[in-house]
Amino acid sequence: MDSRIPGLYKLDPEDRLSEIAEATELSQEAQNKITTQGIDAAEAGAISENVIGTIEYPLGIATNFVINGQDKLIPMAIEETSVVAAASNAARMARSTGGFRTQTSGPYMISQIQATEVDTPRAAKIDILDAKENLIELANEQDPVLVKHGGGCEDIEVQLIETPRGKMVITRLIVNVQDAMGGNAVNTMAEALAPEIEQLTQGNVSLRILSNLADRRLARASCTIEPSELETEDTDLSGEDIRDRIIDAWAFAVGDPYRAATHNKGIMNGIDAVATATYNDWRAIEAGAHAYAAVDGYGPLTTYEGDSDGNLVCSIELPMQVGTIGGATQLQPVAKAALEILDVDSANGLAGVFAAVGLAQNLGGLRALVSEGIQSGHMSLHAKNIAIQANAPEHLVDEIAARMVAEEVIRQDRAEELIDELQ
Ligand code: NAD
């Protein structure tokens, strides 16, 4: 499969889908689901409450990705302009050096059980750890299917924390959730263990829920960009200048949380779009990402360095609580088709894709920010769309778009005039 599909943007949606279907050998059933858009209000009522209808997002495909040596086409559902284009662009820049390499720490979620008003917290900690084997067994009895798939509770830890309401004893279940996001699975286990923990601590057990700071479930990605790939026609900056400015932009985010928040938002543009396309819980991913970014004082989730050959080396590391089964992932036919396009065989594989997309998104955004700025990118994309809409011949699209941007008149009637003038 080749994820480079030049000119995809010029096709109409039906022909684009045919191209993508051909490249990914997408089943006819999945293609039909994409064109019929999924679920009606009655079906949506099985997912959420007080449903009165459904709402749609544009579903686009980011091209050019190579992840761990495999070409990948990336479904992205998002209402913001330029996101899919920026991700595709950055992925193209990474191709000459082999694309993205990814790594994951394993699908481990943490579930917490809160015990308050414990008289002897240190002794309670020892009692809980002493009962570890029994507690793990009880946790795993709650989910034989997960255990059958190689997952389950593998460890129990205890933390004593100081709070404005006194010391609390926090029991942590470390659960291998395999291909699930794991929210329901680990919450069920925590609830089942609560009476035992209450007895062991002689305190009051209140909260029993997962932590979205899923730092045992990290996804990492990296790529190397040659300076020549960074050059753009829109500025006189050399590739080396742009490389150095990107590293300075990253350093700005390290030094200033106001910048870091927007830097990380740029990462989440890509990640949330893939989460939406696959019906993964983007609130969980967002919470995990920003909490992880704040662990040592809020900072950027990506890193940019120069190597001794003058290349830009880009990397990302963040919690990635995503699933290929469970939650709502199997309830929306278009989301199922999106997973089919992604062609991943595990939650770990999916987490690596999310990390690569987040990195590409951030790189694409920074490259534009340090050179021509993002507004002109938005405008030129819009102008190109208008030129194509006016039936500009392929060889004139860029010129007509550039003229309309320069004139600050981006309208179909102006594009039609320019076609007549230039032909
Ligand atoms: P789930 O319970 O629907 O599915 C997971 C279950 O599928 C497992 O427990 C297991 O029994 C079964 N399973 C079958 N094959 C499996 C395999 N190969 N790997 C793993 N499990 C397999 O869903 P979930 O993933 O436990 O929970 C996800 C949901 O939890 C999401 O919808 C999320 O929105 C929600 N949630 C999130 C939070 C939060 O993030 N704070 C809190 C509560 C609920």
Side-chain angles (χ1 to χ4, degrees):
M1 198 268 271
D2 186 357
S3 66
R4 259 192 83 49
I5 311 182
L8 185 69
Y9 72 98
K10 291 180 202 155
L11 305 177
D12 61 35
E14 203 179 315
D15 292 337
R16 279 192 203 121
L17 177 57
S18 300
E19 286 274 340
I20 300 302
E22 200 182 323
T24 59
E25 293 173 9
L26 189 67
S27 63
Q28 190 58 48
E29 196 191 349
Q31 291 179 57
N32 295 346
K33 283 167 185 167
I34 289 172
T35 46
T36 53
Q37 294 169 354
I39 52 173
D40 59 26
E43 289 162 321
I47 298 176
S48 187
E49 303 81 31
N50 292 356
V51 170
I52 58 166
T54 59
I55 188 164
E56 271 132 35
Y57 281 93
L59 177 65
I61 299 290
T63 53
N64 302 330
F65 274 81
V66 176
I67 301 177
N68 300 329
Q70 248 196 320
D71 277 55
K72 288 255 175 239
L73 289 161
I74 314 285
M76 299 176 81
I78 187 159
E79 83 295 351
E80 189 174 344
T81 186
S82 298
V83 170
V84 178
S88 306
N89 209 2
R92 189 189 42 71
M93 292 191 274
R95 285 182 79 88
S96 63
T97 53
F100 299 86
R101 292 163 296 284
T102 72
Q103 198 268 332
T104 49
S105 65
Y108 290 93
M109 294 297 287
I110 300 168
S111 198
Q112 297 180 298
I113 303 172
Q114 175 204 30
T116 61
E117 291 168 51
V118 179
D119 264 357
T120 53
R122 285 176 195 80
K125 174 176 175 172
I126 294 168
D127 288 341
I128 295 168
L129 292 176
D130 204 33
K132 190 190 271 194
E133 293 312 316
N134 286 343
L135 293 171
I136 290 176
E137 205 179 308
L138 179 58
N140 286 335
E141 279 169 15
Q142 311 309 310
D143 201 337
V145 177
L146 180 61
V147 173
K148 200 182 91 199
H149 282 87
C153 180
E154 292 187 7
D155 200 7
I156 289 196
E157 300 172 355
V158 181
Q159 284 186 304
L160 306 181
I161 61 166
E162 296 295 342
T163 82
R165 299 272 284 171
K167 208 181 261 296
M168 294 182 188
V169 178
I170 309 300
T171 305
R172 287 171 152 201
L173 282 60
I174 312 298
V175 185
N176 178 341
V177 295
Q178 291 291 45
D179 296 322
M181 180 272 179
N184 293 324
V186 305
N187 292 344
T188 306
M189 290 182 182
E191 288 190 6
L193 261 52
E196 306 292 323
I197 300 297
E198 203 150 50
Q199 211 171 36
L200 288 162
T201 58
Q202 296 294 304
N204 293 327
V205 165
S206 182
L207 269 64
R208 297 141 291 164
I209 184 142
L210 84 163
S211 167
N212 288 111
L213 177 49
D215 61 1
R216 312 287 173 94
R217 200 177 190 183
L218 298 176
R220 307 178 178 97
S222 66
C223 66
T224 299
I225 309 292
E226 295 168 318
S228 58
E229 297 284 354
L230 295 166
E231 284 163 16
T232 115
E233 284 167 11
D234 303 312
T235 70
D236 295 333
L237 293 167
S238 68
E240 285 75 13
D241 291 335
I242 295 175
R243 173 200 63 203
D244 293 345
R245 285 178 175 222
I246 289 175
I247 300 173
D248 286 345
W250 161 75
F252 178 10
V254 173
D256 177 11
Y258 286 83
R259 174 59 213 148
T262 318
H263 181 104
N264 289 339
K265 194 274 181 181
I267 295 169
M268 302 316 288
N269 273 343
I271 288 176
D272 287 346
V274 185
T276 305
T278 56
Y279 251 42
N280 264 283
D281 182 344
W282 53 265
R283 287 85 53 205
I285 302 170
E286 283 276 345
H290 293 289
Y292 194 66
V295 163
D296 296 316
Y298 193 83
L301 290 160
T302 50
T303 308
Y304 293 88
E305 308 163 279
D307 73 8
S308 52
D309 295 327
N311 298 317
L312 180 67
V313 180
C314 322
S315 55
I316 187 169
E317 178 183 278
L318 76 172
M320 197 47 69
Q321 40 212 308
V322 294
T324 52
I325 64 125
T329 57
Q330 302 299 310
L331 303 180
Q332 218 291 4
V334 182
K336 281 175 74 172
L339 264 180
E340 198 178 318
I341 292 172
L342 277 171
D343 189 26
V344 287
D345 56 10
S346 65
N348 268 342
L350 184 63
V353 168
F354 272 84
V357 174
L359 182 58
Q361 201 67 58
N362 188 229
L363 172 64
L366 288 181
R367 187 232 205 179
L369 280 171
V370 303
S371 53
E372 71 270 18
I374 56 166
Q375 286 313 101
S376 71
H378 281 208
M379 284 301 117
S380 64
L381 198 70
H382 178 57
K384 274 186 192 172
N385 288 342
I386 296 291
I388 292 164
Q389 199 173 296
N391 289 324
E394 198 176 327
H395 68 283
L396 290 180
V397 168
D398 286 346
E399 189 176 348
I400 290 170
R403 291 267 290 264
M404 289 197 294
V405 170
E407 293 169 1
E408 294 180 14
V409 181
I410 302 170
R411 290 199 318 251
Q412 187 164 332
D413 59 309
R414 181 60 188 143
E416 284 162 0
E417 279 172 19
L418 287 166
I419 295 169
D420 290 344
E421 207 179 288
L422 293 169
Q423 255 178 344

